Amino acid sequence: MAAASAVAPLNLPWLHRGCYERVNQQHCANPGLRTQLVHTPLPQGQNPQSCREDTIGVPCWSFSPCPHTGGTARSPIPKPAAGVGAQRLLISNLYSCLLSPSGHRHPPRTRFGAGSAQSRAAQRVPAGMEAGDGKEESPQPMALSRFQLSEEYGFLLPNPLTELPPSYSPWMDIAHELPQLIASHQLRARIHQMPQLNTQHLQGREELHLAHLVLSFLTMGYVWQEGEEGSVKVLPRNLAVPFWEVSQALGLPPILTHADFILANWRRKDPSGPLEIKNLEPIISLPGGESLHGFILVTLLVEKAAVPGIKATIQAIHALQHLDDERLHRALQGLAAAIGDMDKALQQMHDYVDPAVFYTVIRIFLSGWRDNTAMPHGLLYEGVSKQPMAFSGGSAAQSSVLHAFDELLGIQHSQESTTFLHRMRDYMPPPHRAFIRDISQAPSLRQHILSSADPRLREAFNHCITALVDFRSHHIAIVTKYIAVAKARARQEEAGSIGKPPAALEAKGTGGSHVFIFLKSVRDSTREGLISA
């Protein structure tokens, strides 16, 4: 990523002061997207009336009268200057970093850098700001819809699209053949022949998410087709540029994330059938056969089992805000039950995933190019940047569920674990990050329990902690079976019987953490959250 100091300061007179400070200090954590922001207040009365402290107070990217209440007739566009591509990229990322319920949803227009990846990405409707019906949002501050969460599916993308429009068939055709193309060592050649497609025809969040899913799978296959010893240093322009544009539109990094691999990668075989593993299949796949399918779908069912816990989290916060201990007690009981159901769903991993296949075949395709000795310099995205960029691979730490529960319960992890977990939040969809942030800013549940004379609240709170400790302990057991034990067995068997396991991942998770040290630290710090009588 280019250093922040190389980017000229931006004068953004339409940016609400309380917002730009939050963006600069908190949201734009990626060094390549961070720059100095200069605030110039608009004349009195020109800030949108609906602007709040946590939203961008932007009228509209329009040169005609704004139809929205509080809008202004014109919205200034920064003048071209040194580093203009990075400026345009930052402007797009500002939208992707913050959830805006203001109703001002017009995409930015740009008159410079035409045809560049950055300028096209800047014209996309940003994450969390898709066209709506203009209705006022619910006054309930933690309403699920505000964070692109579903009452039925939680963080999962509800009934994801499975096909893009016909103009994107070059992507979809390759994606549907991905395991075979990788196995026959033909994927890279096919991608080299692929035309560079214009992403401007993608409409809405669902098409963007499917495009990101497809392009992320193509990228992982391209990079790791020949194993870690045959990894590439450059992602070709015809794949890198559209992947970058779609990533910027969604506020996601240009690599496979949990949001792609799990949240947006499922469909029912029988559309009217139940959400059960036998009635589910991934939309896009990689090598690993039924074990890969099992890994994706079991993890999906863990996410689904978390939905009552997500609702209980919101109920607990509302109860804290209204000092309603009865409602709080019910919410904590619901949260503990949901974590228990997540644990039961996780145990299905033993039934559907072969440890040898996971360790020797699947794992490398989830690997990134940060903290990975196989790609120490990262990956050059041709047509996007002149310098290689480093991104972490897919990781369970990118799931928003446990981040949300930790914030509610006030779990204090070690500094090293906290740093890694917070970095993983950069790989979540921006509205999901906003959900976690809002929970962290809610009244302290732990302090309320400590100051309460009601022993039922302490007992219910401790049940949540114990359930979370059990879940994390069982996760450690699964990781031990699928990595440590599988590693030992792989060494005993003949090389190449299934596949060659990646040496760079022997002691690390696919997200780049020292996996066992990290998981045990997180489990132990969770246990320390218990409140004694």
Side-chain angles (χ1 to χ4, degrees):
M1 280 278 189
S5 59
V7 182
L10 291 179
N11 187 5
L12 306 179
W14 38 262
L15 191 61
H16 188 276
R17 186 173 185 84
C19 309
Y20 95 86
E21 289 172 349
R22 293 169 72 93
V23 170
N24 198 30
Q25 297 172 9
Q26 188 172 0
H27 293 280
C28 290
N30 191 326
L33 302 178
R34 190 184 301 136
T35 189
Q36 178 184 355
L37 298 177
V38 180
H39 179 255
T40 304
L42 283 175
Q44 186 175 4
Q46 288 196 22
N47 274 337
Q49 297 172 6
S50 57
C51 179
R52 303 179 180 182
E53 184 177 344
D54 64 343
T55 62
I56 287 180
V58 55
C60 280
W61 288 83
S62 167
F63 287 93
S64 59
C66 172
H68 297 121
T69 302
T72 58
R74 295 171 64 87
S75 296
I77 293 180
K79 296 179 180 179
V84 104
Q87 291 184 355
R88 184 53 45 189
L89 178 58
L90 172 71
I91 293 169
S92 175
N93 199 61
L94 291 179
Y95 285 92
S96 296
C97 281
L98 288 178
L99 185 69
S100 174
S102 66
H104 296 273
R105 292 167 172 149
H106 293 318
R109 299 178 182 178
T110 176
R111 293 187 175 183
F112 52 86
S116 69
Q118 292 89 343
S119 68
R120 287 195 296 274
Q123 297 176 46
R124 182 83 59 235
V125 179
M129 298 178 66
E130 292 80 5
D133 56 11
K135 295 180 181 179
E136 293 184 4
E137 69 163 335
S138 167
Q140 190 168 286
M142 291 291 287
L144 288 175
S145 59
R146 183 182 162 203
F147 302 97
Q148 291 181 1
L149 290 169
S150 162
E151 288 280 347
E152 184 177 357
Y153 299 104
F155 290 107
L156 293 170
L157 189 65
N159 301 311
L161 290 181
T162 59
E163 289 290 341
L164 290 172
S167 58
Y168 295 99
S169 61
W171 295 351
M172 297 303 301
D173 291 345
I174 295 176
H176 289 317
E177 300 179 55
L178 207 51
Q180 297 86 350
L181 290 172
I182 293 171
S184 61
H185 305 276
Q186 297 177 10
L187 176 62
R188 289 178 182 171
R190 281 285 297 273
I191 286 177
H192 291 158
Q193 298 168 4
M194 186 177 74
Q196 182 172 324
L197 303 181
N198 189 331
T199 63
Q200 289 182 322
H201 303 299
L202 293 167
Q203 300 294 322
R205 183 165 65 103
E206 288 77 12
E207 286 190 4
L208 286 168
H209 272 297
L210 179 55
H212 200 273
L213 167 65
V214 168
L215 295 172
S216 66
F217 270 61
L218 296 186
T219 295
M220 303 312 266
Y222 185 90
V223 170
W224 299 116
Q225 173 182 284
E226 305 299 331
E228 66 179 355
E229 295 177 355
S231 60
V232 297
K233 296 180 179 180
V234 179
L235 194 68
R237 179 187 304 268
N238 59 342
L239 177 55
V241 170
F243 193 19
W244 182 263
E245 292 174 353
V246 171
S247 297
Q248 290 304 304
L250 289 171
L252 290 171
I255 193 170
L256 179 69
T257 69
H258 181 83
D260 305 301
F261 193 55
I262 307 298
L263 304 185
N265 190 25
W266 65 278
R267 62 181 165 198
R268 287 180 170 91
K269 296 175 183 177
D270 175 4
S272 60
L275 199 73
E276 297 175 356
I277 200 161
K278 293 181 180 179
N279 191 44
L280 293 169
E281 61 184 356
I283 298 170
I284 309 296
S285 193
L286 283 164
E290 291 303 313
S291 286
L292 179 83
H293 292 186
F295 183 68
I296 292 171
L297 298 177
V298 169
T299 308
L300 180 149
L301 293 179
V302 174
E303 291 275 350
K304 180 64 168 63
V307 174
I310 296 168
K311 295 178 181 178
T313 296
I314 294 177
Q315 292 163 4
I317 292 173
H318 290 167
L320 286 169
Q321 292 169 337
H322 294 90
L323 301 178
D324 185 343
D325 283 356
E326 286 298 325
R327 186 179 183 185
L328 178 59
H329 183 252
R330 292 194 300 270
L332 292 175
Q333 289 179 315
L335 176 57
I339 297 172
D341 289 340
M342 291 167 59
D343 200 353
K344 292 175 185 176
L346 182 63
Q347 297 307 313
Q348 295 181 75
M349 199 71 73
H350 300 288
D351 301 324
Y352 291 99
V353 184
D354 184 322
V357 175
F358 176 80
Y359 185 72
T360 60
V361 178
I362 297 172
R363 209 163 167 244
I364 191 170
F365 291 101
L366 308 182
S367 306
W369 25 97
R370 173 173 176 168
D371 302 322
N372 188 340
T373 56
M375 296 182 67
H377 304 297
L379 181 68
L380 179 66
Y381 290 72
E382 187 180 43
V384 174
S385 171
K386 294 183 179 180
Q387 299 296 325
M389 294 185 281
F391 296 102
S392 298
S395 168
Q398 294 170 8
S399 170
S400 302
V401 170
L402 295 187
H403 287 256
F405 295 169
D406 278 351
E407 292 291 356
L408 175 69
L409 297 171
I411 304 300
Q412 299 292 318
H413 296 298
S414 70
Q415 182 175 351
E416 183 177 359
S417 295
T418 297
T419 298
F420 176 75
L421 286 167
H422 282 199
R423 177 156 64 85
M424 290 297 98
R425 293 181 185 181
D426 295 338
Y427 293 75
M428 300 173 185
H432 297 178
R433 286 180 236 156
F435 180 70
I436 297 167
R437 185 191 70 238
D438 276 21
I439 296 171
S440 71
Q441 296 172 352
S444 170
L445 170 62
R446 183 178 183 82
Q447 289 303 315
H448 182 82
I449 302 293
L450 288 170
S451 62
S452 172
D454 188 345
R456 297 182 311 147
L457 289 181
R458 184 178 66 249
E459 182 181 7
F461 178 89
N462 283 341
H463 281 163
C464 292
I465 297 291
T466 301
L468 196 51
V469 169
D470 290 345
F471 179 87
R472 284 176 160 149
S473 293
H474 293 149
H475 185 212
I476 291 171
I478 287 174
V479 172
T480 300
K481 174 181 176 179
Y482 284 85
I483 296 180
V485 175
K487 169 186 171 183
R489 290 180 178 173
R491 287 179 172 177
Q492 295 173 358
E493 297 174 355
E494 292 185 12
S497 58
I498 297 179
K500 185 176 181 180
L505 294 179
E506 285 192 350
K508 289 189 174 184
T510 49
S513 67
H514 291 277
V515 61
F516 290 105
I517 295 174
F518 167 73
L519 291 177
K520 290 178 180 178
S521 170
V522 168
R523 188 266 317 275
D524 293 345
S525 56
T526 303
R527 184 183 289 119
E528 291 171 2
L530 287 166
I531 297 177
S532 58

